[in-house]
Amino acid sequence: MFGNYLIGLREGLEASLVVCILIAYLVKTDRRDALKPIWIGIGVAIALALGFGCALEFGSQEMTFKAQEALGGSLSIVAVCLVTWMVFWMRRTARHLKKELHGKLDAALAMGTGALVATAFLAVGREGLETALFVWASVHAASDGTPRPLIGVALGLATAVLLGWLFYRGALKINLAKFFTWTGGMLVVVAAGVLAYGVHDLQEASWIPGLTNLAFDISNTIDPSSWYGTLLKGVFNFQPDPTVLQVTVWALYLVPTLAIFLAPVGFASGKGKVKGPDEQGAQGSPGSRGSQPTKAS
């Protein structure tokens, strides 16, 4: 349940922050007349995300068992790829998100109502579709016949909405870069479990061999129906009898991805950083600070 709560919180907070930044900018610049198109775009984006989630859930129920497993496994892998890209992107751009959105909104204001609707729709819609896909894949992987995974997601989304409102009201100020780094790291751990379960689904669909080649089986030691078994399943998508391929894929994804993600921002690219004018001037000779380039005659 905690893993699904984390997904709802992490993904929902991104969308909430986008909405808060857009609305706060319009209010501060006295453009309240543009709020209605923004809310229309946000509403359409939320409806699309919900529709996408419903299509995944109810559409998969009409399939055969192997087709369900093939779909679930494939979408789990796609979801992990999208979420991995998203956590890296958000970690790098969290400091500049407000400036980027303000620039897009200024351009949309100049173009008219349709552009405002499109801006809000695209800003929130991408987050909504990613959230719907990853939540569906995670719930599918962690489902134990109870509504706990969905309750966890709902609580996470509710917390995200509350935090977004507090940000807007100015009652809550935290370091967003650090917040997204820590929650992103935890989400990478959750994604590793979803990826391993997706591989297991593809093995059950006979798309990948090795279903009977178990890495270990500790079902007698860790009862999946016990409280600690349920906790491990909900947080890490732990399986007491994984296949060799599942364990291999889990380790090959988690270890390097987490190491790169937790490395300092700009890791392996520091030498190629483009220096600003101030930095370039600071590195020049003292006598060249006030000099001007000479024009060729």
Side-chain angles (χ1 to χ4, degrees), residues 123-209:
V124 179
R126 185 191 67 185
E127 304 293 343
L129 291 176
E130 287 179 358
T131 302
L133 178 57
F134 195 59
V135 164
W136 181 85
S138 180
V139 170
H140 174 75
S143 180
D144 54 3
T146 70
R148 280 181 295 207
L150 289 176
I151 292 174
V153 172
L155 289 175
L157 290 173
T159 304
V161 171
L162 176 61
L163 289 175
W165 181 79
L166 290 173
F167 274 117
Y168 176 76
R169 302 299 299 176
L172 186 62
K173 294 183 183 294
I174 63 173
N175 187 317
L176 287 179
K178 288 185 178 180
F179 176 84
F180 282 122
T181 296
W182 284 104
T183 56
M186 290 187 284
L187 201 56
V188 168
V189 176
V190 174
V194 173
L195 179 61
Y197 201 89
V199 169
H200 184 265
D201 280 351
L202 293 179
Q203 288 180 313
E204 289 195 323
S206 300
W207 280 27
I208 299 177

Side-chain angles (χ1 to χ4, degrees), residues 45-178:
I46 293 174
L48 178 64
L50 290 173
F52 180 56
C54 290
L56 288 174
E57 178 61 24
F58 297 113
S60 63
Q61 293 179 2
E62 302 299 322
M63 300 178 177
T64 63
F65 173 75
K66 285 198 171 185
Q68 286 182 5
E69 298 304 295
L71 176 66
S74 301
L75 290 181
S76 293
I77 293 173
V78 171
V80 169
C81 291
L82 286 174
V83 167
T84 303
W85 171 83
M86 177 271 298
V87 295
F88 276 96
W89 175 84
M90 193 51 149
R91 186 186 173 214
R92 286 184 175 274
T93 59
R95 296 180 180 88
H96 314 293
L97 181 62
K98 182 184 291 188
K99 183 178 179 181
E100 181 181 334
L101 287 173
H102 285 179
K104 291 180 179 179
L105 195 53
D106 283 335
L109 285 168
M111 295 176 66
T113 302
L116 285 172
V117 174
T119 299
F121 171 77
L122 292 174
V124 179
R126 185 191 67 185
E127 304 293 343
L129 291 176
E130 287 179 358
T131 302
L133 178 57
F134 195 59
V135 164
W136 181 85
S138 180
V139 170
H140 174 75
S143 180
D144 54 3
T146 70
R148 280 181 295 207
L150 289 176
I151 292 174
V153 172
L155 289 175
L157 290 173
T159 304
V161 171
L162 176 61
L163 289 175
W165 181 79
L166 290 173
F167 274 117
Y168 176 76
R169 302 299 299 176
L172 186 62
K173 294 183 183 294
I174 63 173
N175 187 317
L176 287 179
K178 288 185 178 180

Side-chain angles (χ1 to χ4, degrees), residues 160-291:
V161 171
L162 176 61
L163 289 175
W165 181 79
L166 290 173
F167 274 117
Y168 176 76
R169 302 299 299 176
L172 186 62
K173 294 183 183 294
I174 63 173
N175 187 317
L176 287 179
K178 288 185 178 180
F179 176 84
F180 282 122
T181 296
W182 284 104
T183 56
M186 290 187 284
L187 201 56
V188 168
V189 176
V190 174
V194 173
L195 179 61
Y197 201 89
V199 169
H200 184 265
D201 280 351
L202 293 179
Q203 288 180 313
E204 289 195 323
S206 300
W207 280 27
I208 299 177
L211 182 61
T212 58
N213 188 16
L214 301 182
F216 53 83
D217 187 353
I218 54 175
S219 303
N220 294 329
T221 305
I222 299 180
D223 183 3
S225 61
S226 64
W227 69 267
Y228 50 87
T230 302
L231 181 64
L232 290 172
K233 177 72 172 176
V235 177
F236 304 108
N237 282 307
F238 174 78
Q239 186 177 335
D241 55 347
T243 65
V244 172
L245 185 58
Q246 276 184 272
V247 174
T248 302
V249 168
W250 180 85
L252 289 177
Y253 169 82
L254 179 63
V255 176
T257 303
L258 201 56
I260 296 172
F261 180 77
L262 295 178
V265 176
F267 173 72
S269 61
K271 291 184 179 179
K273 271 168 82 175
V274 178
K275 295 181 177 64
D278 294 339
E279 292 175 293
Q280 291 175 346
Q283 290 187 354
S285 61
S288 64
R289 246 177 221 181
S291 62

